[in-house]
Amino acid sequence: MALVVSGRLNKQVAGELGISEITVKSHRGSMMRKMKADTLADLVNISTRLRSCGVSDLTLGELRVIEPFYRRSR
């Protein structure tokens, strides 16, 4: 999530993580669905709000846990 919201291209994220660009697209799509972000801008806003609360570098499992709380505060 940190690499995506930092403005890097999928290809750059893939290179940094040593995975394919298609895998990055898949993970980004999953992240956006689970965080209910319609656009990349929404995902950046969510990330900013989470970091301001002291939350960083979440796994997808952790995203599922905090998502209901995030939705209520929005």
Side-chain angles (χ1 to χ4, degrees), residues 31-69:
M31 219 179 353
M32 291 182 72
R33 272 190 307 282
K34 290 174 183 175
M35 296 305 290
K36 294 186 172 75
D38 296 325
T39 65
L40 183 56
D42 288 340
L43 192 62
V44 170
N45 288 332
I46 291 167
S47 175
T48 301
R49 289 185 71 189
L50 289 172
R51 287 185 188 280
S52 72
C53 295
V55 179
S56 64
D57 299 331
L58 299 169
T59 66
L60 289 178
E62 292 167 327
L63 288 175
R64 285 190 205 106
V65 171
I66 67 161
E67 186 269 335
F69 301 103

Side-chain angles (χ1 to χ4, degrees), residues 18-38:
I19 59 177
S20 75
E21 190 174 350
I22 293 170
T23 302
V24 172
K25 289 177 184 179
S26 173
H27 286 302
R28 186 172 86 178
S30 293
M31 219 179 353
M32 291 182 72
R33 272 190 307 282
K34 290 174 183 175
M35 296 305 290
K36 294 186 172 75
D38 296 325

